[in-house]
Amino acid sequence: MPVCTPSRVAFLSGRHPLRTGMQGYPLKAAEPRGLHLNDTLLPEYLRKLGYTTHLLGKWHVGYLTRNYVPTRRGFDTFLGYFNGVIQYFNHTIEENEQVGYDLHRIVGDNHTVEYRYDYMTNLITEEAENIISSHNTEKPMYLQLAHLASHASNAEEAMEVYDWEETNATLGYIQDVNRRKFASVVTTLDKSIGRVVDALNKKDMLKNTIILFISDNGAQTEGPLYQNFGSNYPLRGLKFSLYEGGVRGAACIYSPLIENSSKVSTQLFHITDWLPTLYSAAGGNSSDLYQLDGIDQWSTIKTQEASKRKSVVINIEDVDYSAALMGRYKLIQDKSDFQKHYTNYKGNDPSYPKYNVTNILESPAASAIANISNHIVTANKIEELRKEATVVCENLMTSDCESRTCLFDIYEDPCEVTDISSQYPEVRLNQNRKIRNI
């Protein structure tokens, strides 16, 4: 995601608008509720700093009245869909045996339905390129891409690939056809990001941009509603669970402002931190913000200061489905059906082609950044960072946390294998007290 000080552009790629603040089951189609109108969102704060603001893709925090839509919540323009998921090509949503069309363009208060048959990933990409090429660079810009990819749809083919011929030609070595589809959808997303970064470079904006690429949750391997055959290996669990496979997000941030770049960070960071962090990076004073759960961590990103966040409440919906991180310890009780390690989706079959670092260095995104950067990233450095970022767990035998509350040392045991609650009863007791007092 990018955000920058005034005169810098902001480009966020992920799937959910920042600061959703809605607990419980996601909004259903036409459900008459939404994110509270008293909540101020990141783009509203950025507009006060002079930013133009644009959202492409998913909204999914309510459209009960005009006041709930993106352009009444801080965005100047919006092209995308209101609900949780749509089909990639025809942009329909099916729920409760009803089918609706969900692709909208809003500029200010001018709201039209956008009837197009186009692959959603490419549609978002083309719109982003148009916004960037026509942008007046005298003003800073915040551009958020909330991609549909790599979410499954409710089409007959849940993972809708853009080009089957190309998919089979380039990814045919993946024997599991469902995994091949998933890889294809992600590959198209990769190309999208490359095109957007290249567009920023061509507009001479990249040297003043912060780019954040972030996932909103772990992969959905299986499930009652959707399954996209994604993998969180070797982490335990998946989307909808409270294990690391469901709640540990992957992110990558780029900015010329970052000192000592090309590094892996394992410091604690919560999604609510992005609002004050990016507002601070954009030139705002985070102390002006009020009633936020988030913490300004721009200095942590920029200079590698120690993270100011020491704990995260993951969920306190009920006694049987709760978790929290306090320092290195994670307390969890999760009675869901999605606790296991998905070892059949390792993604590292020895028959697969070797990781090609040259393709990374020659990719559109890498080439665009190299064009304006004095920092040189070598193939050896990429391999080193990739190894450092890889989670390795030798034993994936699972502790039962359905009938009891478990305690894990998340730094020593990221795969949540060994319940240490009996070894550290005082830690478990203190963690429980802290959660109940929140």
Side-chain angles (χ1 to χ4, degrees):
M1 157 175 266
V3 172
C4 341
T5 61
S7 86
R8 293 188 171 80
V9 66
F11 158 48
L12 164 67
S13 183
R15 285 203 300 106
H16 280 297
L18 300 181
R19 185 120 163 51
T20 55
M22 298 177 70
Q23 172 75 352
Y25 196 85
L27 282 171
K28 296 182 179 179
E31 187 175 347
R33 66 183 177 100
L35 182 62
H36 201 288
L37 297 178
N38 287 342
D39 285 333
T40 302
L41 309 188
L42 175 61
E44 294 181 78
Y45 286 117
L46 292 177
R47 279 213 294 207
K48 295 176 182 178
L49 298 179
Y51 276 73
T52 61
T53 56
H54 309 275
L55 172 62
L56 303 175
K58 186 173 183 176
W59 176 238
H60 202 208
V61 286
Y63 52 102
L64 174 60
T65 69
R66 279 184 177 270
N67 287 333
Y68 284 85
V69 303
T71 54
R72 294 283 183 93
R73 307 308 300 271
F75 289 102
D76 297 327
T77 70
F78 168 70
L79 176 65
Y81 58 105
F82 288 152
N83 293 290
V85 63
I86 56 173
Q87 292 191 21
Y88 280 75
F89 286 100
N90 66 18
H91 316 134
T92 60
I93 176 173
E94 182 176 350
E95 200 167 286
N96 298 326
E97 299 182 349
Q98 293 183 316
V99 178
Y101 187 82
D102 189 6
L103 182 61
H104 310 261
R105 182 184 293 277
I106 313 177
V107 180
D109 280 337
N110 183 16
H111 185 161
T112 58
V113 177
E114 190 91 351
Y115 288 104
R116 296 170 61 175
Y117 186 86
D118 195 358
Y119 195 71
M120 192 64 192
T121 307
N122 295 338
L123 189 155
I124 289 174
T125 306
E126 291 162 11
E127 188 72 14
E129 290 172 325
N130 291 336
I131 288 173
I132 292 167
S133 65
S134 61
H135 176 64
N136 177 4
T137 54
E138 294 298 313
K139 295 192 68 175
M141 177 174 70
Y142 174 77
L143 173 60
Q144 179 170 324
L145 277 63
H147 269 287
L148 172 62
S150 55
H151 203 296
S153 78
N154 53 22
E156 185 175 348
E157 295 283 347
M159 296 306 298
E160 297 182 78
V161 305
Y162 174 61
D163 186 326
W164 253 118
E165 184 175 345
E166 181 182 5
T167 295
N168 289 329
T170 58
L171 300 169
Y173 59 87
I174 303 176
Q175 294 300 310
D176 185 327
V177 70
N178 290 313
R179 288 284 286 163
R180 191 187 312 164
K181 292 175 187 176
F182 179 78
S184 178
V185 171
V186 173
T187 298
T188 307
L189 175 62
D190 286 346
K191 292 178 181 178
S192 167
I193 302 305
R195 287 172 59 181
V196 174
V197 174
D198 186 54
L200 289 168
N201 179 47
K202 289 176 179 176
K203 189 68 174 181
D204 197 27
M205 296 168 71
L206 190 57
K207 60 189 176 186
N208 264 341
T209 295
I210 298 173
I211 300 175
L212 172 64
F213 184 87
I214 184 172
S215 63
D216 61 345
N217 49 247
Q220 183 71 19
T221 304
E222 60 176 332
L225 297 177
Y226 301 103
Q227 51 185 351
N228 63 8
F229 306 94
S231 174
N232 303 307
Y233 179 85
L235 299 179
R236 181 176 179 178
L238 73 172
K239 180 180 177 181
F240 292 122
S241 81
L242 301 180
Y243 293 98
E244 293 295 277
V247 301
R248 179 186 290 212
C252 175
I253 189 166
Y254 156 84
S255 169
L257 300 175
I258 296 175
E259 301 171 12
N260 302 316
S261 57
S262 296
K263 58 180 180 285
V264 175
S265 174
T266 57
Q267 300 203 63
L268 192 58
F269 202 107
H270 188 255
I271 193 168
T272 57
D273 297 340
W274 285 121
L275 192 159
T277 297
L278 295 174
Y279 181 74
S280 176
N285 186 339
S286 58
S287 63
D288 295 339
L289 308 175
Y290 58 95
Q291 294 183 330
L292 294 184
D293 296 319
I295 298 171
D296 176 6
Q297 299 220 55
W298 178 236
S299 59
T300 300
I301 293 172
K302 184 178 178 181
T303 65
Q304 282 188 287
E305 285 184 14
S307 173
K308 299 174 184 177
R309 178 171 288 284
K310 306 304 177 186
S311 63
V312 171
V313 176
I314 298 172
N315 194 73
I316 51 173
E317 186 171 339
D318 54 51
V319 176
D320 296 332
Y321 191 66
S322 59
L325 275 167
M326 306 282 186
R328 65 185 305 112
Y329 295 107
K330 180 176 179 181
L331 191 71
I332 177 171
Q333 183 166 15
D334 184 345
K335 291 192 174 183
S336 71
D337 295 328
F338 311 118
Q339 308 194 20
K340 66 181 182 179
H341 296 87
Y342 289 85
T343 55
N344 52 327
Y345 289 162
K346 294 180 181 179
N348 57 358
D349 190 293
S351 67
Y352 290 174
K354 190 176 184 298
Y355 183 73
N356 194 323
V357 182
T358 301
N359 285 351
I360 304 301
L361 290 169
E362 294 177 353
S363 68
S367 299
I369 291 172
N371 186 58
I372 58 95
S373 176
N374 294 323
H375 179 74
I376 299 175
V377 181
T378 64
N380 286 340
K381 184 63 175 179
I382 291 176
E383 292 281 15
E384 176 187 318
L385 291 170
R386 189 166 185 256
K387 184 177 180 180
E388 185 180 350
T390 301
V391 177
V392 178
C393 299
E394 301 297 334
N395 172 29
L396 295 182
M397 295 296 292
T398 300
S399 299
D400 171 26
C401 299
E402 290 186 51
S403 56
R404 67 178 187 272
T405 301
C406 288
L407 183 70
F408 298 104
D409 182 332
I410 217 67
Y411 285 92
E412 291 294 326
D413 181 22
C415 293
E416 298 166 293
V417 170
T418 306
D419 173 23
I420 58 174
S421 58
S422 60
Q423 299 169 243
Y424 300 97
E426 73 287 352
V427 174
R428 175 180 167 180
L429 182 62
N430 289 335
Q431 302 282 61
N432 256 322
R433 284 173 178 166
K434 290 177 182 177
I435 292 174
R436 300 311 168 201
N437 288 333
I438 291 173

